[in-house]
Amino acid sequence: PAAAAARLDLDGNPIAPLTICMIGAGGFIGSHLCEKLMAETHHVVHAVDVYCDKIRHLVDPAPPHLAGRISFHRLNIKNDSRLEGLIKMADLTINLAAICTPADYNTRPLDTIYSNFIDALPVVKYCSENSKRLIHFSTCEVYGKTIGSFLPKDHPLRKEPEFYVLKEDESPCIFGPIVKQRWSYACAKQLIERLIFAEGAENGLEFTIVRPFNWIGPRMDFIPGVDGPSEGVPRVLACFSNNLLRREPLKLVDGGQSQRTFVYIKDAIEAVVLMIENPARANDHIFNVGNPDNEVTVRELAQMMTEVYANVSGEAPLDEPMIDVSSSQFYGEGYDDSDKRIPDMTIINKQLGWNPKTPLKDLLETTLTYQHKTYKEAVKRQMSQASAT
Ligand code: NAD
Ligand code: UDP
């Protein structure tokens, strides 16, 4: 019966238990990956992060049924000699650690570049020197802007997929000028991708690079003033959630015309587990992981979130649910934007047979139900304290 219960990889072979060093395990993606690995696999996880609030239920302390399966190592990979030992002890390292909120790219470009390039260097080096496999998290932002965005607004070629669909092996990386510091993140991520790729080509490093396309869901980022700094600016899901919880209008940056494709975190995590458990199919590949069917403009996202939140909370929407703000007001100087992000899914489909499942409406319902339940009371308390002082 034990053999019958063994889990098989995509080629029908039993999956051996792995020891995984997961760096950035306490973040949004890491917390979901830890949960999934604990619930559905037999792998052991050494979770590395500077904080563990989002995985506290798994590590502080580990529940009895997970004894020996997961441990938390509080360390900053910038300057901690324990990192090499943890990588050596593991079969596989997954690096999620990064500064990855756009509000930081133009206001803290040095921290952004150090975090996404310099701090990742030792991780790559230790994996390469010790012949350990690496799954590194990059970003869809390495594509930058689409080719089509440089054509006149109504040009018919803008509608042709060659001018906007983003392909791992073919599309160029198109960033704005250096004064547009927004691109510091994309550029640092691009260079670490090139370095990892070169380690693979010259030194035989076994690697997989993941390019997430706007993964969203519960536990993403923070609500300013509740579980993050009151002046902090998280990514759009948390910004809009915060506005809805506080009954203030959603802020559309530069008209909200940029387009994004959103994928449900739980769908995306399934792709990562396939990469973990099918090294022969995942090694030496760069994978787009997104949902090309869930495309909206930021304005449309704001409209959908307003409607869904009204259903979830029972509170009628505001008369003016959205307002326009300029990017320089909202993010400061040096902001710029990706215009459109449609992932080509050919490679991940062929290698891992993965497809996203959850429509945008459904994932917003689940996520906003979570946001309302988790934060509504805390936001009310915080607002009444703030108005009292
Ligand atoms: P997150 O900010 O929630 O998680 C990152 C985690 O890394 C945090 O818990 C942070 O504390 C930790 N960390 C950062 N620097 C560290 C250091 N020096 N030492 C130890 N821990 C450190 O972000 P996320 O959404 O979970 O993203 C994870 C990765 O995926 C990042 O590399 C990001 O660039 C990439 N990514 C995510 C998305 C998305 O849609 N969520 C999109 C594109 C790229
Ligand atoms: N955005 C917005 N209002 C907000 C927050 C973000 O209009 O309150 C826009 C932002 O300008 C960008 C999109 O939403 O066009 C997605 O932003 P996010 O921070 O999620 O990251 P990105 O997809 O750009 O990496």
Side-chain angles (χ1 to χ4, degrees):
R7 296 171 56 257
L8 302 179
D9 68 16
L10 291 171
D11 298 304
N13 304 310
I15 297 165
L18 298 168
T19 299
I20 301 172
C21 171
M22 194 193 300
I23 305 166
F28 163 58
I29 295 175
S31 71
H32 286 274
L33 186 54
C34 286
E35 265 181 10
K36 178 86 170 178
L37 291 172
M38 289 305 111
E40 292 177 23
T41 76
H42 41 332
H43 307 307
V44 169
V45 172
H46 296 294
V48 173
D49 206 304
V50 290
Y51 86 136
C52 69
D53 300 17
K54 296 183 184 188
I55 51 169
R56 204 172 282 289
H57 57 298
L58 299 175
V59 300
D60 189 25
H65 73 283
L66 296 180
R69 294 270 323 278
I70 183 162
S71 57
F72 180 64
H73 305 262
R74 188 183 303 276
L75 61 95
N76 188 329
I77 62 163
K78 267 184 198 301
N79 49 29
D80 200 304
S81 58
R82 287 173 292 174
L83 179 65
E84 183 169 12
L86 285 162
I87 290 176
K88 277 186 174 167
M89 219 185 346
D91 304 298
L92 162 68
T93 294
I94 302 177
N95 189 10
L96 296 147
I99 289 177
C100 54
T101 36
D104 293 318
Y105 308 162
N106 61 314
T107 55
R108 298 168 59 205
L110 285 175
D111 287 341
T112 300
I113 294 166
Y114 271 80
S115 170
N116 284 284
F117 182 67
I118 306 285
D119 299 347
L121 284 175
V123 178
V124 180
K125 179 170 159 249
Y126 298 145
C127 287
S128 190
E129 286 173 357
N130 295 288
S131 304
K132 300 292 186 177
R133 192 176 166 223
L134 172 66
I135 298 181
H136 186 84
F137 273 71
S138 181
T139 172
C140 60
E141 203 164 309
V142 294
Y143 294 109
K145 297 177 184 252
T146 63
I147 306 173
S149 71
F150 294 89
L151 292 167
K153 207 168 179 315
D154 298 318
H155 200 287
L157 283 179
R158 278 194 175 224
K159 296 215 164 62
E160 297 295 323
E162 303 92 277
F163 287 79
Y164 64 82
V165 174
L166 304 171
K167 297 190 178 188
E168 297 93 328
D169 289 354
E170 289 175 31
S171 300
C173 302
I174 307 175
F175 306 153
I178 304 301
V179 288
K180 296 286 186 194
Q181 297 202 82
R182 156 70 189 236
W183 302 107
S184 57
Y185 168 75
C187 191
K189 287 280 203 197
Q190 185 195 167
L191 191 54
I192 198 75
E193 279 200 24
R194 290 191 185 276
L195 185 105
I196 292 167
F197 196 87
E199 280 289 350
E202 293 188 35
N203 294 327
L205 172 69
E206 285 181 54
F207 74 88
T208 302
I209 289 169
V210 186
R211 292 182 179 166
F213 280 65
N214 294 77
W215 300 8
I216 63 173
R219 289 201 292 264
M220 185 168 196
D221 298 338
F222 57 90
I223 295 300
V226 176
D227 54 3
S230 21
E231 299 306 313
V233 180
R235 287 170 283 188
V236 66
L237 175 81
C239 284
F240 286 175
S241 300
N242 183 41
N243 299 144
L244 292 164
L245 287 157
R246 292 175 193 277
R247 292 190 65 70
E248 35 178 68
L250 281 55
K251 294 182 178 141
L252 299 179
V253 171
D254 291 341
Q257 290 312 301
S258 296
Q259 291 166 295
R260 293 290 186 272
T261 50
F262 293 94
V263 64
Y264 188 39
I265 181 69
K266 291 192 192 292
D267 290 353
I269 287 295
E270 288 185 0
V272 182
V273 173
L274 286 168
M275 292 174 207
I276 293 172
E277 299 190 327
N278 293 276
R281 289 166 175 260
N283 282 347
D284 297 342
H285 282 287
I286 300 175
F287 291 115
N288 288 343
V289 180
N291 188 337
D293 298 330
N294 280 351
E295 188 180 41
V296 279
T297 62
V298 174
R299 181 178 289 275
E300 287 162 349
L301 176 73
Q303 266 152 4
M304 278 179 94
M305 285 183 65
T306 302
E307 283 158 26
V308 170
Y309 189 73
N311 285 335
V312 162
S313 66
E315 297 167 12
L318 302 176
D319 292 339
E320 281 187 56
M322 298 166 222
I323 51 165
D324 285 305
V325 294
S326 71
S327 58
S328 56
Q329 272 175 307
F330 192 80
Y331 288 112
E333 287 310 311
Y335 183 76
D336 198 355
D337 208 353
S338 297
D339 54 303
K340 184 175 175 76
R341 291 181 180 158
I342 301 278
D344 183 90
M345 302 303 289
T346 312
I347 296 182
I348 192 158
N349 239 298
K350 174 160 172 268
Q351 294 304 117
L352 302 171
W354 178 83
N355 280 302
K357 294 185 283 232
T358 314
L360 186 55
K361 181 87 189 301
D362 295 1
L363 76 86
L364 289 178
E365 265 163 24
T366 314
T367 305
L368 291 177
T369 301
Y370 171 89
Q371 301 289 57
H372 183 67
K373 202 172 99 217
T374 309
Y375 290 110
K376 185 66 198 188
E377 288 310 313
V379 165
K380 265 194 206 157
R381 268 198 307 278
Q382 194 248 343
M383 287 175 75
S384 64
Q385 274 163 11
S387 67
T389 52

